[in-house]
Amino acid sequence: KSRGSQNGNFMKILVTGSSGFIGSHLTTALAEDGHEVIGFDRQDPAEAFGVSRFVKGDVRHKNMVLPALEGIECVIHLAAVHFDYGHTPDDYWDGNENAMRQLLEALRETHIDKFVFYSSVAVYGDRADECSEQTEPTPTSPYGAAKLGAEKLLRQWAQEDPGRRALILRPCAVYGERNVANMN
């Protein structure tokens, strides 16, 4: 169990990309831990997966996000253009950096100050050496560059107000039950 369930600090959390592979697992875990979870995605979920309310929308459009933010205390941002094929470089920029810009504008308007961003190890580029959090990002793909651009926007947002908290996660390939993306 998380610290939230141990000390009774439950939150109302918006998860963007809640209908996806990672989102469906995360929303289930958050709900099981006692948090109220609002899902936000362009696609309807296959089932509830712990979501108490679902809002269909696109994070690239601030006006679609704003209604989902009512009463929210924290946003976990998973929504992204991420598949390895079928996208132009502009698609990656629009679905990642522009989406972050729109989402952060909505947070500024609603005064939400807690944000978790699911970025990617792709910000480090193709490397033969080991990476750590101190490794300088050098993306070699439009996807990695767009994720790094989104990270920079989030850092700027966090620095605008000392009360804001932002966490950036950079996972490697993620797989498991219900994954339909990069793994067979």
Side-chain angles (χ1 to χ4, degrees), residues 28 35 39 45-46 49 68 83 95-96 100 107 117 119 125 132 160 183:
T28 298
H35 300 286
F49 295 116
F83 290 112
N96 292 290
M100 178 67 82
L107 267 62
F117 177 45
S119 184
S132 73
E160 291 170 7
M183 308 290 166

Side-chain angles (χ1 to χ4, degrees), residues 36-96:
E36 182 180 351
V37 182
I38 309 305
F40 187 90
D41 204 304
R42 292 186 314 167
Q43 297 182 12
D44 292 318
E47 59 184 82
F49 295 116
V51 171
S52 65
R53 181 170 68 98
F54 176 76
V55 178
K56 190 169 186 172
D58 189 329
V59 292
R60 296 175 295 180
H61 304 284
K62 178 182 77 168
N63 291 334
M64 294 180 111
V65 176
L66 283 168
L69 293 174
E70 186 176 332
I72 296 296
E73 298 167 75
C74 177
V75 172
I76 302 176
H77 181 42
L78 304 175
V81 172
H82 58 85
F83 290 112
D84 296 333
Y85 52 88
H87 297 291
T88 68
D90 286 343
D91 292 338
Y92 290 112
W93 288 103
D94 189 42
N96 292 290

